[in-house]
Amino acid sequence: MAGYLLYTILFCFLVFATALYLTRDRWVHRIPVPDYIYHRLPSTFAGDVEGGLTSNDFDLTGNIISGDSRAGLDEQGKTEVKKIMRSKRVNFDEARRIFMERRFAKNNIGPDGLPRDPKFVSFS
């Protein structure tokens, strides 16, 4: 009798584990993962390119070819863009756009780049 119970529990566990595995793309992004598990962000333009932080619209190869000795992209911005890329599963350009829109919203600037201040006057 104990053998049947053991095999039943084992079978139910295997069915449950298989169902979780097959549906992992629906729930795995909701699991919080600490930042220290991931590698340090690169601190040079070459490292930024290798880390996927470049595109046709935001090309860093000119900086590398010219021998730019600066430290690379902003650490806080890189971290936030990487988080957006992981959580929303978007490419670098879309993550950079989302990051900038959030940054604009924090500073009371509209998505079009104009301030939301009611006292703002623009001469065009």
Side-chain angles (χ1 to χ4, degrees):
M1 183 69 178
Y4 291 120
L5 182 62
L6 177 66
Y7 287 123
T8 303
I9 291 172
L10 180 64
F11 178 74
C12 289
F13 173 77
L14 288 175
V15 168
F16 183 70
T18 303
L20 283 176
Y21 178 76
L22 293 175
T23 61
R24 69 187 180 274
D25 58 337
R26 296 183 184 171
W27 56 266
V28 78
H29 66 277
R30 296 181 183 186
I31 298 174
V33 179
D35 289 335
Y36 62 85
I37 290 179
Y38 292 97
H39 302 288
R40 282 186 69 175
L41 292 171
S43 60
T44 62
F45 287 118
D48 293 338
V49 170
E50 291 173 8
L53 298 174
T54 189
S55 68
N56 291 336
D57 296 325
F58 191 80
D59 193 15
L60 295 176
T61 55
N63 298 57
I64 297 169
I65 292 171
S66 67
D68 197 337
S69 62
R70 293 181 292 168
L73 301 175
D74 176 38
E75 293 294 325
Q76 181 184 6
K78 283 193 287 192
T79 305
E80 186 65 28
V81 168
K82 282 287 211 181
K83 282 182 185 177
I84 293 169
M85 288 170 71
R86 277 195 314 264
S87 65
K88 296 196 182 279
R89 297 175 185 236
V90 294
N91 64 6
F92 175 68
D93 286 329
E94 184 67 17
R96 194 168 53 98
R97 185 190 62 77
I98 293 169
F99 171 71
M100 288 308 299
E101 285 179 355
R102 288 180 184 173
R103 197 173 197 180
F104 282 173
K106 279 184 193 176
N107 293 315
N108 203 20
I109 300 172
D112 57 352
L114 292 175
R116 292 182 180 165
D117 186 5
K119 299 176 193 172
F120 174 72
V121 178
S122 175
F123 300 102
S124 45

